[in-house]
């Protein structure tokens, strides 16, 4: 199958155009370095390849070096029929630098080139336009205006793209531009001639930036946005969580009605609905978190937040670019560690990767939600306006961030100093403010929930069934006298300083496979005697069991700090190339979390 390559700088709308052409559900984010993998899809008889975004073919960051290597190798392949260069119509000069370099590379390899002039809707909205016919003549390759967001010109572009790909020999670049002149000078000349002369978009952007990037107003907006983000995890997700709880309860009643009493009914009620079901109710919270972060990404605010965070982050040895992996880490540490590749400085990149596990990822959400429900009244308010549970959520996330900054300062002092010699300056493009596109954002939200279920459900199922077996046998015995109780009593002395008994010790050990297993484990343990299979019932059972405030607070802070994810350790090993460093971090965070939990239990 012949291939069509798609290249372009970050924020050019390349990934969204790829989505529209192939129908695949690809992530579209509005900050540099998000496309760090090669994406593939099919458009009729051709394979469309979405290559990583880069600004030029002379990269500075590791991410750009990977992108350039992939672009060069892909253009040189015999099965490549067409190279599509995506240009940002609102920032023609910056887009043409890469476009001219790729066109020259394609011409050297006898490959056809087609320029996609994206965001033409924004140009026309301010009463401007671009002469694509004249620009095509100067470039020596066809230029087509379109909008991947509004679909303006997309059908015509798709037909032309397929037509050129089927007969590429007739569309080899015939540029008359000076071969000796640099791509930067050529792009400046072309943008001056054909680009926007009245840059209203930039003027409007600057007026908004003066407010959002101001030291005082910008800081207040940033804190407000972050607070609303974590507050919404409870308020927006609550109705959905109630619906899931009702559905699980109805399913449990239906299964109990058709199964014989005894071991079969006990297995379904306690192992399946009590363990696995108590984890599923938290999926809506993960989807809400993904939705809000998606809004920040696609609107362009995320890049501004990274710029605002540069100064405070640099004080602890980090970069403003560290903010993006940090925020991504609140969804999952694995892609966040990969996102750290965009940090040019090896020193700051390593520190960022080592502290990302302290960001409260989505796997911690079930643990937080359960323990916050146990410790904080549901009807309590903060300042008489905000829900007290939402404020507690914000406090937990804030504690993780502060801990990460303290650890970053510590690592800055003790990491090898030779890494600092290759530090690069902080450079970040501020993308145009845009309304998020609903289709990819909706797909992203749904996929976040499905991926979480696919990743966590098998582990939680195995652990829940295993705990149920250990707790059910020998048959006729009490839970404390079961096999599970015997194991718990052996390890109980380790957890007694935290104010926890053997059941919590077993759940903590089980959660080292994945943090969210903790809820499933407690759901099974406390559900053995017929407890309700929903979060409220489990929280009430824990409260009735007598969990103290100090022990509960210490336990939730333990989960803020502890690195209880084998997949994250594996990713750290792969990115750092050091098995010793990855597992050393695992042990170090575990000890720190244990000490914090013990101290909190002693103080409260």
């Amino acid at each position: 199958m012949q291939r069509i390559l798609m290249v372009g700088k970050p924020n050019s709308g390349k990934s969204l155009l790829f989505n529209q052409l192939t129908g695949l559900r690809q992530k579209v984010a509005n900050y540099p370095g998000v496309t760090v993998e090669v994406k593939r899809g099919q458009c009729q008889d051709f394979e469309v390849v979405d290559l990583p975004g880069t600004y030029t073919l002379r990269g500075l960051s590791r991410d750009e070096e990977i992108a350039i290597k992939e672009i060069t190798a892909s253009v040189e392949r015999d099965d490549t029929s067409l190279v599509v260069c995506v240009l940002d119509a609102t920032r023609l000069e910056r887009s043409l630098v890469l476009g001219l370099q790729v066109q020259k590379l394609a011409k050297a390899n006898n490959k056809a080139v087609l320029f996609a002039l994206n965001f033409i809707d924004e140009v026309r909205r301010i009463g401007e336009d671009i002469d694509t016919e004249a620009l095509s003549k100067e470039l020596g390759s066809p230029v087509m205006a379109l909008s991947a967001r509004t679909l303006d010109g997309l059908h015509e572009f798709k037909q032309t793209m397929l037509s050129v790909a089927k007969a590429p020999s007739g569309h080899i670049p015939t540029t008359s531009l000076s071969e000796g002149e640099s791509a930067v000078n050529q792009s400046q000349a072309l943008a001056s001639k054909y680009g926007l002369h009245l840059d209203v978009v930039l003027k409007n952007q600057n007026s908004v930036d003066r407010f959002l990037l101001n030291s005082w107003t910008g800081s207040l907006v940033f804190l407000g946005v972050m607070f609303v983000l974590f507050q919404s995890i409870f308020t927006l997700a609550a109705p959905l969580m109630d619906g899931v709880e009702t559905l699980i309860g109805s399913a449990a009643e239906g299964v109990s009605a058709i199964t014989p009493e005894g071991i079969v009914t006990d297995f379904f009620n306690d192992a399946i609905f009590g363990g696995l079901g108590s984890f599923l109710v938290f999926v809506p919270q993960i989807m809400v978190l993904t939705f809000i972060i998606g809004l920040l990404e696609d609107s362009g605010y995320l890049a501004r937040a990274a710029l605002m965070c540069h100064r405070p982050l640099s004080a602890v040895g980090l970069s403003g670019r560290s903010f993006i992996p940090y925020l991504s880490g609140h969804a999952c540490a694995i892609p966040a560690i990969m996102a750290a590749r965009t940090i040019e400085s090896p020193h700051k990149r390593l520190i960022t990767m080592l502290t990302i596990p302290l960001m409260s990822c989505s796997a911690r959400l079930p643990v937080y939600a359960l323990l916050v429900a146990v410790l904080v009244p549901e009807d309590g308010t903060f300042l008489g306006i905000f829900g007290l549970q939402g404020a507690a959520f914000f406090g937990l996330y804030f504690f993780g961030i502060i801990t990460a900054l303290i650890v970053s300062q510590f690592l800055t002092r003790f990491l090898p100093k030779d890494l600092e010699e290759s530090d690069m300056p902080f450079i970040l493009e501020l993308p145009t403010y845009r309304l998020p596109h609903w289709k990819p954002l909706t797909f992203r939200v749904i996929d976040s929930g499905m991926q979480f279920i696919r990743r966590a459900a098998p582990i939680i199922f195995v652990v829940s069934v295993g705990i149920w077996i250990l707790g059910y046998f020998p048959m006729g015995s009490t839970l404390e006298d079961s096999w599970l109780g015997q194991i718990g009593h052996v390890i109980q002395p380790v957890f007694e300083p935290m104010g926890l008994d053997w059941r919590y010790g077993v759940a903590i050990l089980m959660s080292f496979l994945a943090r969210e297993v903790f809820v499933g484990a407690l759901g099974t343990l406390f559900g053995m005697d017929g407890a309700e299979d929903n979060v409220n019932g489990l929280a009430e059972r824990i409260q009735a069991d007598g969990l103290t405030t100090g022990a509960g607070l210490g336990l939730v802070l333990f989960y803020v700090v502890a690195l209880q994810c084998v997949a994250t350790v594996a990713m750290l090993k792969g990115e750092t190339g050091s098995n010793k460093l990855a597992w050393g971090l695992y042990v170090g965070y575990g000890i720190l979390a244990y000490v914090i939990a013990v101290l909190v239990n002693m103080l409260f």
Side-chain angles (χ1 to χ4, degrees):
M1 181 180 293
Q2 290 298 107
R3 310 192 322 157
I4 298 175
L5 307 181
M6 295 189 65
V7 299
K9 76 176 187 66
N11 305 310
S12 64
K14 174 174 59 67
S15 294
L16 179 55
L17 177 58
F18 174 73
N19 286 337
Q20 303 289 20
L21 293 173
T22 63
L24 293 183
R25 302 176 180 181
Q26 299 297 327
K27 182 179 180 181
V28 181
N30 207 21
Y31 56 82
V34 66
T35 312
V36 294
E37 296 179 345
V38 176
K39 308 294 183 182
R40 291 180 171 84
Q42 189 169 345
C43 183
Q44 291 191 10
D45 298 329
F46 293 91
E47 180 186 44
V48 182
V49 183
D50 179 16
L51 295 173
T54 181
Y55 290 98
T56 72
L57 291 184
R58 297 178 182 178
L60 295 176
S61 68
R62 178 184 176 187
D63 187 49
E64 287 184 321
E65 291 175 357
I66 295 174
I68 293 166
K69 183 179 179 181
E70 184 66 32
I71 291 172
T72 303
S74 297
V75 172
E76 293 175 350
R77 286 179 52 162
D78 294 335
D79 59 352
T80 296
S81 295
L82 172 64
V83 180
V84 174
C85 295
V86 183
L87 307 177
D88 183 348
T90 64
R91 299 185 177 188
L92 191 57
E93 179 182 332
R94 298 179 186 178
S95 300
L96 277 173
V97 174
L98 175 66
L100 291 171
Q101 291 175 339
V102 171
Q103 185 190 43
K104 183 178 180 180
L105 177 64
K107 182 179 180 181
N109 289 274
N110 293 318
K111 296 296 190 300
V113 175
L114 174 63
F115 288 97
L117 191 62
N118 200 12
F119 301 131
I120 196 63
D121 58 316
E122 297 186 14
V123 175
R124 293 170 178 167
R125 189 172 62 246
I126 60 175
E128 296 285 321
D129 208 343
I130 295 177
D131 190 345
T132 55
E133 291 186 8
L135 183 58
S136 299
K137 291 180 181 179
E138 289 221 38
L139 288 173
S141 296
V143 179
M144 297 197 66
L146 60 93
S147 172
R149 179 188 305 276
T150 64
L151 306 183
D152 291 345
L154 183 63
H155 177 73
E156 294 79 3
F157 172 79
K158 182 177 180 180
Q159 297 304 316
T160 301
M161 181 188 74
L162 295 173
S163 176
V164 173
K166 292 176 182 178
S169 59
H171 297 85
I172 306 300
T174 58
T175 177
S176 58
L177 296 172
S178 173
E179 294 293 336
E181 192 176 5
S182 69
V184 175
N185 293 336
Q186 293 177 25
S187 64
Q188 289 176 345
L190 290 170
S192 177
K193 188 174 182 180
Y194 298 103
L196 296 181
H197 298 290
L198 182 60
D199 200 349
V200 179
V201 175
L202 185 58
K203 289 182 179 180
N204 292 337
Q205 176 180 314
N206 289 340
S207 64
V208 178
D209 284 342
R210 277 192 293 270
F211 177 80
L212 292 181
L213 298 181
N214 181 273
S215 299
W216 292 102
T217 58
S219 299
L220 292 176
V221 171
F222 175 77
L223 291 177
V225 168
M226 293 298 105
F227 186 83
V228 170
L229 188 155
F230 300 123
Q231 180 74 20
S232 300
I233 293 174
F234 259 106
T235 57
L236 296 182
L240 296 175
M241 294 178 67
D242 292 340
V244 174
E245 288 180 358
T246 302
L247 183 62
I248 293 174
S250 299
E253 292 177 1
V255 171
S256 298
I258 62 175
T259 55
E261 294 185 3
I263 188 172
V264 177
T265 300
D266 292 341
F267 173 78
F268 278 104
N269 285 339
D270 300 331
I272 304 301
F273 295 107
L276 191 61
S278 61
F279 135 81
L280 291 176
V281 297
F282 300 105
V283 173
Q285 289 184 324
I286 296 168
M287 297 174 69
V288 168
L289 177 63
T290 303
F291 173 74
I292 298 176
I293 292 180
L295 290 178
L296 297 177
E297 291 175 346
D298 296 345
S299 66
Y301 180 75
L302 193 60
R304 273 78 182 175
L307 181 61
M308 289 191 60
C309 292
H310 176 64
R311 179 171 293 180
L313 288 176
S314 61
V316 294
L318 298 173
S319 161
R321 287 185 180 270
S322 301
F323 171 76
I324 295 172
Y326 270 10
L327 188 59
S328 300
H330 287 94
C332 181
I334 294 174
I337 292 172
M338 295 178 64
R341 297 172 182 175
T342 60
I343 302 174
E344 294 90 345
S345 164
H347 183 72
K348 294 179 174 63
R349 185 189 310 134
L350 180 60
I351 295 176
T352 302
M353 287 191 295
L354 296 182
T355 51
I356 282 174
L358 291 170
M359 300 299 106
S360 294
C361 66
S362 59
R364 289 179 170 106
L365 277 176
V367 182
Y368 290 177
L370 174 64
L371 295 177
V372 166
V374 172
L375 299 171
V376 181
E378 184 178 0
D379 56 353
T381 59
F382 177 69
L383 299 177
I385 302 175
F386 304 103
L388 193 57
Q389 289 188 339
F393 242 68
F394 179 80
L396 292 175
Y397 279 77
F398 187 73
F399 180 79
I401 294 171
I402 293 299
T403 304
L405 298 180
I406 295 174
V407 173
S408 297
Q409 182 64 46
F410 177 82
L411 293 175
T412 300
R413 295 177 178 271
F414 292 98
L415 282 178
K417 299 299 180 182
D418 57 333
L419 291 174
E420 297 178 354
E421 297 178 0
S422 54
D423 273 3
M424 301 296 297
F426 176 68
I427 302 174
L428 182 66
E429 179 188 11
L430 296 181
T432 304
Y433 289 105
R434 297 188 176 102
L435 292 175
H437 194 274
W438 68 268
K439 186 176 180 180
L441 181 57
T442 301
F443 285 150
R444 191 190 318 177
V445 171
I446 296 174
D447 286 345
S448 68
M450 297 304 297
Q451 289 175 10
F452 183 74
I453 293 174
R454 285 194 296 265
R455 181 174 63 89
I459 298 175
I460 293 177
F461 175 77
V462 172
V463 172
S464 296
V465 172
I467 292 176
W468 180 83
I469 292 174
L470 292 174
Y472 198 83
F473 296 96
M475 293 185 64
S477 62
T478 64
L479 181 60
E480 188 170 354
D481 295 329
S482 66
W483 296 335
L484 185 63
Q486 296 173 26
I487 296 174
H489 285 297
V490 173
I491 62 175
Q492 179 167 314
V494 177
F495 297 97
E496 283 181 346
M498 295 174 60
L500 305 174
D501 62 21
W502 61 274
R503 292 169 296 182
Y504 295 94
V506 169
I508 289 174
L509 289 182
M510 294 297 98
S511 66
F512 275 90
L513 295 174
R515 296 177 180 95
E516 57 271 26
V517 170
F518 176 83
V519 176
L522 283 185
T524 300
L525 289 168
F526 282 93
M528 294 292 293
D529 297 323
E532 295 181 17
D533 51 9
N534 58 66
V535 61
N536 291 328
L538 183 57
E540 290 173 1
R541 183 60 184 270
I542 293 174
Q543 288 173 334
D545 190 64
L547 181 68
T548 65
T549 301
L553 182 58
L555 178 59
V556 73
L557 293 181
F558 175 89
Y559 273 95
V560 173
V561 178
L563 203 175
Q564 293 175 275
C565 180
V566 177
T568 300
V569 176
M571 178 59 66
L572 284 169
K573 177 183 178 298
E575 291 294 304
T576 63
S578 172
N579 192 50
K580 180 179 179 181
L581 180 63
W583 286 104
L585 197 69
Y586 179 90
V587 174
Y589 281 150
I591 294 174
L592 177 61
Y594 181 81
V595 171
I596 290 175
V598 171
L599 291 176
V600 169
N601 182 53
M602 293 173 59
L603 294 175
F604 288 89

